[in-house]
Amino acid sequence: MKSIIRKFLKMVDVFGFFERDPFGNLFFTKRLLIASLGSLTWSRLMWVNKTKIQGTEYLEKLPENGVLFLSNHQTYFADATCLYHIFCSVKWGFRNWIGLPIYLLAPRARMYYVAASETMKDSGLIPKIFAQAGAITINRSWRAKGQDVKREVDHSATDKIGLALSDGWVISFPQGTTSPYAPIRKGTGHLIKDHNPIVVPVVINGFRRAFDKKGLLLKKRGTQLSVTFKEPIRFDSNLSVEEIVSKVEEFLEQDYPEGKQWYVKKQAEKASSWGH
């Protein structure tokens, strides 16, 4: 009887009311949430600040699944929120523009983003709401509660991201931190070798100036935000993890020697302050 009911619901589910993503979340509920959050955040991207977008022509012919967007990271939520707006606008046929949010009437639902479990679960109600919009939560092995740690690698992370890739587009921030010029984590290289996705590099700027670290509060109005999509890549399967990581670092413009030196210096200063 249950199988008959499931078949019937699938048959009448023209608008996806009962369809679920690989993690069991209803697409209908997810669309409502994305539309609601999008309505609340759009003005911060286009009125309070201005967002310049480049390269969405690369997104127009991408398949519906198996696409991994790799971006540098500046805030916890504003970065991913802006990318969600852009993906929805591309679905509606807009190019390099989110000026008219009619795309929120029927937003793209098969979108996911990778986030630290502690960020989504231990930071209050708003992050928990954001999590329902497509977060793939993972336990970071190198960072916890703002401090460097060493703990067992979350081996389920690659499987979770693989599930999301099989269903749609996935956003990942391979540095795993909002600090500029932080090293690309090797897990990104393993992910690419294991699942062979189409990789789209994304370079963002201005979000750190405009928003607080979480990306929820405005810090400076009138900031020029920028999002640039680069040409999609399919990595050679013969490349090593280290070679993939090196190329990702280059594509995301995080390989400047001066920037790396700055990052190492900042980390040393943090370690020294913790020692006191």
Side-chain angles (χ1 to χ4, degrees), residues 129-199:
I129 294 174
F130 271 90
Q132 299 304 309
I136 307 168
T137 56
I138 63 172
N139 296 315
R140 294 183 297 184
S141 60
W142 68 92
R143 192 93 173 148
K145 297 183 179 180
Q147 296 189 11
D148 292 332
V149 298
K150 288 184 179 181
R151 60 187 179 193
E152 188 175 345
V153 174
D154 182 4
H155 295 289
S156 68
T158 300
D159 294 335
K160 289 180 183 177
I161 299 172
L163 268 178
L165 283 169
S166 69
D167 185 67
W169 292 359
V170 176
I171 303 165
S172 179
F173 303 100
Q175 291 168 286
T177 175
T178 56
S179 297
Y181 304 107
I184 302 297
R185 296 292 164 180
K186 286 188 177 181
T188 298
H190 287 290
L191 174 66
I192 291 171
K193 282 190 73 70
D194 290 346
H195 297 285
N196 192 29
I198 295 173
V199 175

Side-chain angles (χ1 to χ4, degrees), residues 82-140:
C82 186
L83 291 175
Y84 265 41
H85 275 277
I86 295 170
F87 294 166
C88 291
S89 74
V90 169
K91 175 190 173 184
W92 275 61
F94 297 123
R95 178 178 284 190
N96 297 325
W97 192 63
I98 56 172
L100 187 64
I102 60 171
Y103 51 78
L104 294 174
L105 294 174
R108 183 187 294 271
R110 298 180 188 276
M111 303 184 293
Y112 306 88
Y113 65 98
V114 181
S117 296
E118 64 182 74
T119 300
M120 309 311 294
K121 296 178 181 178
D122 300 337
S123 303
L125 177 62
I126 294 178
K128 290 178 181 178
I129 294 174
F130 271 90
Q132 299 304 309
I136 307 168
T137 56
I138 63 172
N139 296 315
R140 294 183 297 184

Side-chain angles (χ1 to χ4, degrees), residues 180-182 254-266:
Y181 304 107
Q254 299 296 298
D255 60 338
Y256 299 121
E258 298 84 358
K260 287 186 175 183
Q261 291 169 9
W262 176 89
Y263 177 78
V264 170
K265 181 180 178 182
K266 285 293 182 182

Side-chain angles (χ1 to χ4, degrees), residues 194-213:
D194 290 346
H195 297 285
N196 192 29
I198 295 173
V199 175
V200 181
V202 187
V203 178
I204 65 170
N205 199 14
F207 292 83
R208 185 178 289 109
R209 291 191 296 274
F211 304 101
D212 70 334
K213 187 172 183 178

